[in-house]
């Protein structure tokens, strides 16, 4: 390493922005459900004004496991429409499809060349997923490097992820530090932000397990964002509860079902725990609770479903919004990619 490189490697990140920048990636796989909405998407819509937010639909990550092309295309558009319908405002945040911004794949290549193979082979998600494949695509191993490219191209300060993705964000930090060390200060080293539990929605059929896509085939487990009101009502009215009649928040596993229903009601209405419990004083048993929760969920999801249908019915408008998102993403990612190329010695124009 030259003295110049060493000096540059020690430099402090010099970026000062009015708002912190957040980058999140979402895979276009499976139907969005109430757990995703209350645990993640609703919070993004609320915080989009406080942070400079980038929400990326990661189609390039999706193809690291086999995908049916038509299904992938449909799910990518459908997820974009759903996120917009839930309230992500393209005037406030940046919503785009990863594959529309070629800088992601190019940056991943450059980062590949500074990432030791051993770092990737240690990733637990890779080991789990690889064990399920007869033939392991190279892309599956490389998945976290593409994720690092997503994050680093935008100099994101914060990366909201579930616990399962924390290791990948830590790897992103290692890759950023290594690149900064080798080529001089280039990237902000991001922080993973694990959302507080609290908005953890449990399965309606079994309040001891998290509501999840994996169990979506079990009747009455999930409420999908696109379920008809009748179906939502049926699932909520059949939700598993205990044999008592006390409507209150509780850590008692016996009361997990009631706790879950109250939690759903609370997150949607944005009331305090006390106010939530007070709303059910005088209710006649769990039947009343379930009816009220079903009505609340239906009232929240109906306008979202209507907006979703409208967006899906106007593909030109959806394409226009995604193109605006990709243009804005590119305006940040392209100069960063140019900087990376310049630093590693690739010839670039305009420098
Ligand atoms: P996934 O469906 O696992 O890809 O998750 C997408 C986002 O939704 C992540 O931020 C998860 O933390 C969140 N999420 C998924 N299931 C739930 C749930 N049952 N309760 C709360 N948040 C959830
Ligand atoms: N790997 C993430 C997941 O499966 C998705 C993802 C891709 C992501 N790129 C990202 C998340 C960048 C945060 C930041 O959930």
């Amino acid at each position: 390493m030259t003295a110049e490189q060493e000096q540059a490697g020690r430099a402090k990140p010099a970026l000062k922005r009015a708002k912190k920048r957040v980058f999140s990636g979402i895979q276009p796989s499976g139907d969005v459900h109430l757990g995703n909405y209350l645990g993640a998407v609703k919070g993004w819509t609320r915080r989009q004004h406080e942070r400079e937010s980038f929400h990326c639909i990661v189609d390039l990550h999706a193809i690291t496991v086999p995908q049916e092309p038509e299904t992938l295309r449909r799910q990518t558009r459908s997820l974009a429409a759903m996120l917009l319908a839930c309230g992500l405002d393209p005037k406030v945040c940046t919503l785009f499809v990863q594959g529309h911004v070629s800088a992601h794949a190019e940056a991943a290549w450059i980062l590949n060349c500074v990432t030791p193979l051993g770092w990737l082979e240690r990733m637990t998600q890779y080991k789990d997923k690889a064990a399920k494949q007869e033939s392991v695509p190279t892309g599956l191993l490389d998945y976290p490097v593409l994720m690092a490219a997503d994050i680093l191209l935008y100099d994101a300060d914060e990366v909201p992820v579930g616990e399962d993705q924390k290791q990948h964000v830590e790897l992103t930090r290692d890759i950023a530090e290594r690149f900064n060390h080798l080529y001089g200060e280039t990237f902000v080293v991001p922080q993973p932000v694990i959302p507080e539990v609290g908005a953890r929605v449990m399965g309606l059929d079994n309040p001891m397990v998290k509501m999840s896509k994996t169990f979506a085939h079990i009747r009455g487990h999930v409420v999908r964002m696109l379920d008809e009101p009748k179906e939502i009502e049926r699932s909520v009215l059949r939700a598993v509860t205990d044999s008592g009649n006390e409507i209150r928040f509780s850590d008692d596993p016996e009361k997990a079902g009631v706790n879950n229903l109250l939690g759903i009601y609370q997150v949607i209405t944005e009331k305090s725990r006390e106010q939530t419990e007070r709303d059910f004083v005088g209710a006649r048993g769990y039947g009343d609770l379930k009816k009220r929760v079903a009505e609340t969920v239906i009232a929240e999801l109906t306008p979202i479903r209507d907006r979703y249908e409208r967006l899906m019915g106007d593909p030109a408008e959806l394409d226009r919004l995604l193109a605006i998102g990709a243009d804005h993403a590119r305006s940040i990612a392209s100069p960063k990619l140019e900087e990376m190329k310049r630093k590693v010695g690739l010839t670039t124009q305009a420098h």
Side-chain angles (χ1 to χ4, degrees):
M1 193 189 319
T2 65
E4 193 191 347
Q5 282 174 328
E6 202 170 339
Q7 176 57 35
R10 271 196 244 109
K12 289 263 169 293
L15 283 171
K16 280 216 175 68
R17 300 194 196 97
K19 286 181 182 175
K20 285 210 169 161
R21 193 177 277 172
V22 176
F23 190 99
S24 80
I26 317 142
Q27 296 224 33
S29 56
D31 294 332
V32 181
H33 56 70
L34 194 64
N36 301 134
Y37 174 63
L38 297 182
V41 183
K42 195 170 159 74
W44 299 343
T45 65
R46 210 177 327 110
R47 285 189 297 274
Q48 63 186 331
H49 299 277
E50 300 156 18
R51 296 274 194 268
E52 187 187 355
S53 316
F54 290 81
H55 296 288
C56 180
I57 298 175
V58 293
D59 54 350
L60 301 178
H61 277 105
I63 61 168
T64 58
V65 294
Q67 299 286 344
E68 218 281 299
E70 252 337 293
T71 310
L72 177 62
R73 218 183 320 273
R74 195 179 58 243
Q75 289 190 338
T76 301
R77 300 181 64 80
S78 163
L79 178 58
M82 180 52 76
L83 293 173
L84 291 164
C86 288
L88 287 185
D89 180 350
K91 291 197 195 75
V92 177
C93 68
T94 306
L95 174 68
F96 70 106
V97 177
Q98 187 185 33
H100 295 178
V101 181
S102 59
H104 291 241
E106 280 190 72
W109 179 257
I110 296 174
L111 296 178
N112 274 333
C113 299
V114 303
T115 306
L117 187 56
W119 289 5
L120 301 181
E121 287 169 335
R122 275 202 296 276
M123 294 292 109
T124 53
Q125 181 178 286
Y126 167 69
K127 288 193 270 187
D128 289 350
K129 287 191 179 174
K132 292 186 196 132
Q133 305 286 325
E134 219 170 276
S135 150
V136 179
T138 306
L140 193 59
L141 177 68
D142 205 27
Y143 176 117
V145 181
L146 179 60
M147 183 160 159
D150 296 343
I151 297 166
L152 299 179
L153 276 173
Y154 296 85
D155 280 320
D157 302 291
E158 295 177 354
V159 185
V161 282
E163 195 61 48
D164 63 320
Q165 294 296 315
K166 201 171 159 208
Q167 194 183 35
H168 290 160
V169 182
E170 271 151 14
L171 182 83
T172 301
R173 291 169 59 86
D174 291 341
I175 295 174
E177 278 166 359
R178 190 171 164 96
F179 192 100
N180 285 350
H181 182 71
L182 289 171
Y183 297 108
E185 201 59 34
T186 308
F187 299 123
V188 167
V189 180
Q191 292 289 343
V193 178
I194 315 288
E196 286 170 38
V197 217
R200 194 171 139 97
V201 180
M202 310 307 281
L204 294 176
D205 63 325
N206 177 359
M208 300 309 284
V209 305
K210 207 173 102 168
M211 185 179 282
S212 157
K213 279 172 207 158
T214 321
F215 306 117
H217 58 282
I218 300 173
R219 205 150 185 233
H221 173 78
V222 295
V223 169
R224 288 182 201 79
M225 298 300 284
L226 296 175
D227 281 350
E228 296 287 335
K230 273 221 146 12
E231 214 169 327
I232 298 175
E233 189 175 37
R234 191 176 333 114
S235 304
V236 177
L237 294 186
R238 284 195 187 162
V240 169
T241 45
D242 56 287
S243 54
N245 58 7
E246 246 184 298
I247 304 176
R248 59 175 168 82
F249 285 104
S250 164
D251 294 336
D252 182 354
E254 264 289 294
K255 295 198 69 74
V258 168
N259 201 58
N260 188 37
L261 292 173
L262 284 174
I264 292 169
Y265 178 89
Q266 187 197 353
V267 181
I268 294 179
T269 58
E270 298 179 13
K271 292 183 178 177
S272 66
R273 276 167 86 95
E274 294 70 32
Q275 184 58 51
T276 300
E277 286 180 345
R278 241 178 284 137
D279 281 3
F280 293 97
V281 171
R284 280 159 312 175
Y286 296 158
D288 275 5
L289 167 70
K290 290 177 179 179
K291 242 175 90 199
R292 187 86 171 270
V293 171
E295 282 163 15
T296 309
V297 173
I298 290 166
E300 179 84 357
L301 300 195
T302 300
I304 293 177
R305 218 181 54 232
D306 290 349
R307 281 196 294 271
Y308 170 89
E309 300 296 350
R310 232 176 297 131
L311 282 160
M312 289 300 279
D314 188 353
E317 175 62 3
L318 190 56
D319 287 345
R320 190 184 71 84
L321 295 175
L322 288 175
I324 292 173
D327 279 347
H328 185 245
R330 234 176 262 122
S331 76
I332 312 271
S334 299
K336 197 76 201 179
L337 176 65
E338 288 305 306
E339 185 187 347
M340 291 170 71
K341 288 182 171 174
R342 187 160 36 81
K343 292 224 164 126
V344 302
L346 303 174
T347 338
T348 60
Q349 298 161 346
H351 288 290

